[in-house]
Amino acid sequence: MFLIFIHQSESTAYMQNIEKEIHQKFGGRLRIRVNGVLIENDKILMIKHRMGKNKSFWNVPGGGMNYMENAHETLKREFLEETGLEVGIGNFLTVSEFLQPPLHAVELFFVVHKISGTLIMGTDPELDTNSQLIEEVRFMGIDEINTIKKPEKHQLFWDIKSINDIRIWKGYFNFENKCIK
């Protein structure tokens, strides 16, 4: 098993700064995000993001699109920044609406395959060195993903039973976003 882990101080001031950074950099607006599902040896590459004091969130690598950057360019850039891997983009899987105030994103999910590189724990260039969100980057099997509490992982991964579940994702998912009703 390949594991990359970093430990940063969880002081109250540090966590308040993380939450403030998240809100300032990513919150209070609609974002378009692109995410890549990389499967190797029946394991999915997942990233654990620090979201505040005792709060974390697991998802596949990905990030926000820049103006005049297409979805494939965004995904290649984000993968390199977050994981050190150069990837090729495969089939489009699904679109999901993520709504957990202050965050709101429409997310496009694609299959990706590794072209080159060595897996590392990358960075979010939009954040200061002392405010990085990425805590861990690793491949996880379905059983391990299912041990993560639901609020701590993307809703697309809440009820998956096998790798094949991912391959058949189709359509639009909004998971009954209760905050917009």
Side-chain angles (χ1 to χ4, degrees), residues 125-144:
E126 37 302 86
L127 300 173
D128 294 332
T129 304
N130 296 333
S131 300
Q132 289 297 304
L133 303 179
I134 298 174
E135 288 188 286
E136 199 172 337
V137 176
R138 66 183 162 121
F139 284 92
M140 302 173 77
I142 298 299
D143 290 341
E144 187 176 8

Side-chain angles (χ1 to χ4, degrees), residues 73-107:
E73 292 167 342
T74 299
L75 192 49
K76 289 176 182 180
R77 175 183 51 79
E78 288 289 341
F79 246 86
L80 195 56
E81 291 171 358
E82 294 181 353
T83 70
L85 300 178
E86 183 182 348
V87 295
I89 313 303
N91 291 333
F92 173 73
L93 289 170
T94 192
V95 63
S96 171
E97 184 177 9
F98 181 86
L99 185 51
Q100 261 183 338
L103 304 177
H104 186 189
V106 173
E107 301 176 302

Side-chain angles (χ1 to χ4, degrees), residues 97-104 174-181:
E97 184 177 9
F98 181 86
L99 185 51
Q100 261 183 338
L103 304 177
H104 186 189
N174 81 352
F175 300 103
E176 297 297 316
N177 286 315
K178 293 174 180 54
C179 56
I180 61 173
K181 291 184 178 177

Side-chain angles (χ1 to χ4, degrees), residues 13-44:
Y14 174 76
M15 287 300 124
Q16 288 173 340
N17 285 341
I18 290 290
E19 290 178 16
K20 184 178 176 184
E21 282 274 335
I22 291 169
H23 192 276
Q24 287 178 343
K25 300 282 184 182
F26 309 114
R29 61 191 170 94
L30 175 64
R31 297 179 68 225
I32 307 250
R33 290 178 37 87
V34 184
N35 299 279
V37 179
L38 176 60
I39 300 170
E40 288 186 359
N41 301 317
D42 288 330
K43 293 186 177 188
I44 303 165

